[in-house]
Amino acid sequence: MAHLSDPSMAVDMRNHLEKQAAHGHEWVVYDTDNPINTQYDLHCFTDEIEAIRFAKEYQQIWNWHEAVPISSLVYDLKKLERSQLRPTLETELKNTKSTLKINNVNMDGQVNRAKQLWENWEHKASQIQELTGSKEDKATLQFKYNYLTKGLNRLSIEPREKEKLYVFAIKNVTAKLQKQLYPNPVIRFLHLLENLFLEKPAQLFLFKTQKRDCLEKLQGQLKSAGLHHFAGNLGRELDFERKKIDLKSLSNLAGENKLEVKVHLEKVSEGSYRFNGYTAAMIDEKGERKSAFFSAHKDVNLNEAVNILEGRPVYKGQENADGTINHRWLELTRVGKDPNATHELLSFSPSQTFDLKKTLLENAIQLDFYSIAREAVQRGLEAGNKVEFQINGNGRYIVAANPSAKTVDFFDANKKPISLVTLKKIIHPVKREIAKELTFIKQKDITQENQIQINR
């Protein structure tokens, strides 16, 4: 049998080999003189002759290599898994108060819901003990029994192969609890019938309904926030046992910049999660990050988040507790001096009066250049987009809103600040020319096509 450098890798190695077998591979070659460290130490082949030839070639140069059927090595790895899990499971089956500790890491990224169910109970049990000082009273045992029974009812819907062993262990725990709580065999039998024919169907119906409604609501929220690429695969990502779920993606922006997005979901009840918001991080070509958390109630979509991360404030309407709408400017403020320091989203109070329309008109009058006072410019700046204008024969310039200073700023084509006085001198020689081109540049949409999904 193959020797693993870390026995806990047995599950991962078996999963890898089973995937290879599913793709038509039947033979595996490995070094029998050294322990297996990673899946790359296992060389898989579709043909026996090819596998034996590969093994012989390596034997002439390196250590002894052996070619064996994949099914044989998978069987040996399963035996190793059972030898690791059995002592822990037997401890739990013999003692309902003990702790079930089983590795929950899968190569396919899927969470073992049965193991997660047990961890959730452990967390609740520790809270109960803090409040009451005991985990052994009858009320606590009844709560444990009900909690685990409902969890097993949920897991009865298409349990994964990796979960079945843990489901079996938890079933034995609930069976022992049931005997403690219902010592009379007749009452215990009636209770089993009640759960099987009444409680379980009712729980599953309610769970499926909550799950469906939750998915529809979350997908709508994600699409509204411009996070369409998460909405499509959301059903696959939710396992409805974890307390919190973070979903990540990476996309390319202009140049060498990249955008990393992490969506935050939190469990509120069985079969239901809440969208708390998302963290967006912009990574430049040097690897420096600028990140900020955009909470769900701020209602900032992904395009607006990109504009904010690039240093352009956004003007948003936000609903108050009484249902009224207040408009606020949102921009970033850095916490700490480190280039990769976290940034916070600064929301200006409605009492902070910055009349962008009036400010643009005042600057247009001073410059004698009224194109910058157009409504399209105002709308573009409020959305956090770049607004560029051209002075015929004298280059292109950018105007940006600066709500903290209650003004607008101007920049040249190289994004260097330019004063109003200097800009006026540039405009004045050509102010009588009829054509003064104005270009409105929108931030490129973050579309699904340029997304790379990352496993949690």
Side-chain angles (χ1 to χ4, degrees):
M1 176 178 172
H3 173 55
L4 302 180
S5 59
D6 180 0
S8 66
M9 296 191 307
V11 176
D12 291 347
M13 294 298 107
R14 177 175 62 79
N15 289 339
H16 170 66
L17 289 173
E18 288 176 342
K19 286 183 179 179
Q20 294 297 316
H23 287 87
H25 296 98
E26 295 182 0
W27 289 82
V28 59
V29 177
Y30 62 93
D31 181 355
T32 59
D33 292 336
N34 288 298
I36 296 172
N37 295 306
T38 70
Q39 66 186 52
Y40 302 107
D41 294 331
L42 303 173
H43 307 276
C44 299
F45 299 88
T46 56
D47 184 77
E48 178 183 4
I49 296 175
E50 186 181 4
I52 293 173
R53 185 186 301 120
F54 180 87
K56 287 181 177 179
E57 288 176 359
Y58 265 73
Q59 285 162 199
Q60 295 172 6
I61 306 173
W62 307 104
N63 302 310
W64 183 263
H65 281 64
E66 184 177 357
V68 300
I70 284 180
S71 57
S72 298
L73 188 52
V74 167
Y75 176 78
D76 290 339
L77 289 171
K78 284 183 177 179
K79 286 173 61 178
L80 179 59
E81 288 177 52
R82 294 190 195 101
S83 67
Q84 290 176 284
L85 294 172
R86 187 53 55 189
T88 310
L89 287 170
E90 287 179 352
T91 299
E92 178 53 38
L93 297 180
K94 290 176 182 177
N95 182 3
T96 59
K97 302 168 189 173
S98 66
T99 299
L100 185 64
K101 294 291 186 184
I102 302 172
N103 183 27
N104 193 30
V105 179
N106 296 328
M107 288 182 71
D108 57 9
Q110 288 185 325
V111 172
N112 187 313
R113 296 170 299 171
K115 190 260 184 181
Q116 187 67 54
L117 170 66
W118 185 263
E119 284 189 348
N120 292 347
W121 162 250
E122 284 190 319
H123 178 69
K124 287 186 177 294
S126 63
Q127 290 179 321
I128 292 171
Q129 188 172 25
E130 287 180 8
L131 290 171
T132 65
S134 173
K135 294 192 295 184
E136 303 176 12
D137 59 281
K138 187 175 181 180
T140 302
L141 292 178
Q142 183 70 59
F143 181 79
K144 178 179 182 179
Y145 172 74
N146 293 339
Y147 184 86
L148 294 178
T149 300
K150 289 180 180 179
L152 288 172
N153 288 343
R154 293 192 301 274
L155 290 171
S156 66
I157 307 175
E158 299 180 359
R160 302 173 190 134
E161 188 63 34
K162 301 173 184 125
E163 297 169 339
K164 290 181 180 178
L165 181 61
Y166 312 123
V167 167
F168 172 76
I170 298 174
K171 279 183 177 179
N172 278 275
V173 172
T174 56
K176 292 180 182 295
L177 282 169
Q178 190 182 68
K179 288 182 179 180
Q180 285 181 265
L181 296 167
Y182 308 101
N184 187 309
V186 176
I187 294 177
R188 189 162 64 246
F189 178 72
L190 292 174
H191 177 77
L192 283 171
L193 291 178
E194 181 184 23
N195 180 66
L196 183 62
F197 294 106
L198 294 177
E199 294 180 358
K200 183 177 179 179
Q203 289 169 10
L204 291 180
F205 176 78
L206 179 62
F207 179 71
K208 287 180 179 179
T209 303
Q210 290 175 328
K211 180 178 178 179
R212 183 197 63 216
D213 294 344
C214 171
L215 275 173
E216 290 178 357
K217 181 179 179 181
L218 288 177
Q219 286 172 339
Q221 289 176 313
L222 292 176
K223 289 177 181 178
S224 177
L227 302 165
H228 302 75
H229 51 290
F230 289 106
N233 297 323
L234 190 59
R236 185 186 66 190
E237 299 290 349
L238 299 182
D239 60 42
F240 297 96
E241 292 298 334
R242 284 181 291 169
K243 294 180 181 178
K244 293 184 179 180
I245 297 178
D246 289 335
L247 308 175
K248 290 178 65 176
S249 72
L250 187 69
S251 58
N252 295 317
L253 294 176
E256 299 296 323
N257 292 340
K258 297 184 182 300
L259 179 68
E260 181 185 274
V261 180
K262 184 184 292 185
V263 171
H264 307 291
L265 306 176
E266 183 178 7
K267 188 175 182 179
V268 290
S269 63
E270 302 304 338
S272 181
Y273 280 88
R274 173 177 58 231
F275 172 53
N276 286 337
Y278 62 96
T279 299
M282 187 172 293
I283 309 167
D284 64 19
E285 63 278 3
K286 297 178 182 178
E288 294 183 355
R289 298 168 59 92
K290 181 190 287 186
S291 64
F293 172 66
F294 299 89
S295 64
H297 77 273
K298 292 290 185 185
D299 195 27
V300 177
N301 65 44
L302 188 55
N303 283 330
E304 292 168 337
V306 170
N307 290 342
I308 291 172
L309 287 170
E310 289 183 342
R312 298 185 297 275
V314 170
Y315 192 58
K316 293 289 294 184
Q318 295 179 356
E319 186 175 357
N320 300 318
D322 60 359
T324 58
I325 303 293
N326 273 326
H327 284 79
R328 304 166 183 252
W329 282 95
L330 305 175
E331 67 177 15
L332 285 190
T333 177
R334 192 166 74 179
V335 180
K337 297 180 179 179
D338 191 296
N340 293 318
T342 303
H343 289 68
E344 289 183 356
L345 191 62
L346 180 63
S347 176
F348 290 100
S349 168
S351 61
Q352 198 269 12
T353 55
F354 171 50
D355 191 332
L356 177 60
K357 182 177 181 180
K358 180 181 177 182
T359 304
L360 285 171
L361 181 58
E362 289 173 349
N363 280 268
I365 292 171
Q366 291 186 57
L367 295 171
D368 194 13
F369 187 70
Y370 291 91
S371 292
I372 63 170
R374 291 180 183 175
E375 185 179 351
V377 176
Q378 179 186 342
R379 289 200 306 268
L381 292 178
E382 289 177 345
N385 292 311
K386 289 181 181 178
V387 175
E388 188 178 87
F389 60 93
Q390 178 176 310
I391 302 170
N392 290 349
N394 287 271
R396 304 176 76 87
Y397 300 87
I398 298 169
V399 58
N402 188 348
S404 58
K406 298 184 181 182
T407 185
V408 293
D409 299 328
F410 295 93
F411 302 87
D412 62 18
N414 297 319
K415 299 181 181 179
K416 293 182 178 179
I418 184 170
S419 68
L420 204 63
V421 174
T422 304
L423 190 60
K424 187 173 182 178
K425 290 178 181 179
I426 296 170
I427 292 174
H428 184 70
V430 293
K431 70 177 182 179
R432 294 186 181 278
E433 293 186 19
I434 297 174
K436 292 186 175 66
E437 181 185 348
L438 178 71
T439 305
F440 176 50
I441 302 177
K442 290 186 66 177
Q443 172 66 40
K444 182 180 178 182
D445 287 344
I446 310 301
T447 61
Q448 185 174 358
E449 284 70 21
N450 64 355
Q451 299 295 331
I452 306 171
Q453 199 69 31
I454 297 178
N455 290 332
R456 56 184 184 274

